[in-house]
Amino acid sequence: MKSYSDSYKAAGVDVTAGYKSVELMKEHVARTFTNGVLSGIGGFGGLFEIDTTGIKNPVLVSGTDGVGTKLKIAMLLDKHDTIGIDCVAMCVNDIICCGAKPQFFLDYIAIGKNYPEKVATIVSGVAEGCVQSGCALIGGETAEHPGMMPEDEYDLAGFSVGVVDKEKILDPDTQKAGDVMIAIKSSGVHSNGFSLVRKVFDMTKESLDRYYDELGGTLGETLLTPTRIYVKPILALLEEVNVKSISHITGGGFYENIPRSLPKGISAKIRRSDIQVLPIFELIAKEGNVPERDMFNTYNMGVGMTVVVDKADAEKAVEVLNAAGEQAYILGELVESDEGVIIE
């Protein structure tokens, strides 16, 4: 018997729209399937067989996050095909900081009204993020929430699980003064600090469609640029160089995230002139009259991830990352200090 409920539909939830969403997203999900996937979407749980070949003592590493108020930009521009990349990136970029390889991902979409084509478009971005990070999209949930939010609005979150050999988990305590910190360029604002962005700029479609020479595009295009996914380049680096620690520069910027990967008594010393700040951050600071200290405590400022290696390995590390398609450069060095981050 076909499943439907006129009473539930009258209350604002159309279960048949949910079924259509699943059908429309199947082709996108299929792109992400890896050898470990044991079940398709639609079941009560996603089954995944972890390949532990060459791993003596497998440790699972998990990460969960959402996209935050960047979703408001996507809604204003009615562009929903990249926001899923952000959701995946915020999770897998955290997982890789432990040295773990992401295995699978699940998403959760809460939406005011289920428009199947819209949901499928959102999931297409999630699938693209999974492809970029080499993990499988093995399930998810779309929940129609009438009365909880306007029909055209939605929230997106997800989580990922990775695996690492216990003996290969990165140990920040191995860091010492004289080690070198390497920056890996970001693609823009990524998925953090958008509450401040929305306060600085007039959030209308007209303002988002405004072209800025310094950005080389419109404000909306620049702000919606997906968060860069660093998984594959970092995995390549881990094969070639002894990496001591990795920091994913998210909300809280330099001052909050970099110290999370440093041992007590060690700080990162960075010359302000060496930081390759992206134009969008200069525009935010200018238009919002935001102090530089606040900018570095809110945004990635053009540095999406930092990696610490021994000074003797620094040049090779930069070469490996650049060969993997990233833009990496030496950002600073570690010094004996309790300040966490020193920007001079």
Side-chain angles (χ1 to χ4, degrees):
M1 180 181 293
K2 187 177 180 181
S3 174
Y4 67 91
S5 172
D6 289 336
S7 297
Y8 207 9
K9 185 174 182 179
V13 178
D14 185 357
V15 294
T16 59
Y19 305 144
K20 184 178 180 182
S21 295
V22 172
E23 287 302 313
L24 291 175
M25 69 177 69
K26 279 184 175 179
E27 63 177 291
H28 303 299
V29 176
R31 295 178 55 219
T32 75
F33 283 179
T34 60
N35 292 334
V37 178
L38 300 182
S39 63
I41 60 172
F44 288 100
L47 303 179
F48 191 91
E49 182 179 17
I50 295 176
D51 182 5
T52 58
T53 303
I55 300 178
K56 296 178 182 178
N57 192 353
V59 175
L60 297 181
V61 181
S62 59
T64 185
D65 211 335
V67 185
T69 60
K70 184 173 185 174
L71 288 170
K72 285 287 190 180
I73 312 297
M75 294 173 197
L76 281 166
L77 295 177
D78 194 24
K79 180 173 169 47
H80 312 284
D81 59 338
T82 61
I83 207 74
I85 300 175
D86 292 286
C87 189
V88 175
M90 297 305 293
C91 298
V92 297
N93 282 346
D94 277 354
I95 286 175
I96 198 66
C97 289
C98 298
K101 179 181 179 181
Q103 300 290 305
F104 58 83
F105 187 87
L106 285 87
D107 62 14
Y108 179 84
I109 303 170
I111 194 164
K113 182 176 176 60
N114 189 337
Y115 297 102
E117 292 77 9
K118 184 176 183 178
V119 170
T121 299
I122 296 169
V123 174
S124 73
V126 176
E128 175 59 27
C130 287
V131 169
Q132 289 184 22
S133 57
C135 68
L137 178 57
I138 63 170
E141 174 72 11
T142 301
E144 197 168 16
H145 287 175
M148 286 286 288
M149 59 183 71
E151 289 188 354
D152 290 335
E153 294 192 2
Y154 62 93
D155 195 14
L156 174 64
F159 79 94
S160 184
V161 173
V163 64
V164 61
D165 199 325
K166 188 174 182 179
E167 66 182 26
K168 293 184 179 179
I169 296 174
L170 300 188
D171 182 6
D173 287 338
T174 62
Q175 297 173 101
K176 64 183 187 306
D179 286 343
V180 171
M181 178 168 285
I182 294 167
I184 310 177
K185 190 175 180 179
S186 72
S187 57
V189 183
H190 283 183
S191 300
N192 304 104
F194 274 85
S195 294
L196 179 54
V197 166
R198 292 186 301 110
K199 181 181 179 182
V200 169
F201 297 102
D202 180 22
M203 285 291 107
T204 63
K205 190 175 187 306
E206 290 72 24
S207 66
L208 291 172
D209 286 339
R210 178 182 172 185
Y211 184 92
Y212 288 82
D213 289 334
E214 59 265 48
L215 301 180
T218 68
L219 177 62
E221 290 170 342
T222 303
L223 293 175
L224 265 192
T225 300
T227 305
R228 192 156 184 84
I229 293 176
Y230 300 103
V231 172
K232 293 180 180 179
I234 290 294
L235 288 175
L237 180 66
L238 291 171
E239 290 290 326
E240 299 289 334
V241 175
N242 177 32
V243 176
K244 297 188 177 185
S245 76
I246 302 173
S247 292
H248 182 201
I249 312 303
T250 55
F254 280 46
Y255 289 108
E256 182 177 317
N257 291 286
I258 291 177
R260 292 168 64 182
S261 65
L262 296 174
K264 186 177 181 180
I266 295 293
S267 298
K269 186 176 182 180
I270 301 167
R271 284 198 298 269
R272 172 62 177 83
S273 59
D274 287 342
I275 304 171
Q276 298 178 16
V277 178
L278 294 176
I280 182 59
F281 299 110
E282 295 172 344
L283 183 63
I284 292 170
K286 176 185 175 183
E287 293 292 322
N289 194 28
V290 182
E292 186 166 271
R293 178 61 169 73
D294 289 354
M295 291 294 296
F296 276 98
N297 211 152
T298 305
Y299 298 107
N300 67 64
M301 300 299 284
V303 179
M305 189 160 277
T306 61
V307 174
V308 173
V309 298
D310 190 272
K311 186 175 183 179
D313 295 325
E315 186 175 330
K316 183 177 181 180
V318 171
E319 290 176 356
V320 171
L321 289 167
N322 288 340
E326 299 303 322
Q327 295 183 52
Y329 59 94
I330 293 176
L331 181 65
E333 65 174 355
L334 303 192
V335 296
E336 293 184 359
S337 166
D338 288 318
E339 293 186 54
V341 177
I342 305 166
I343 301 177
E344 298 182 333

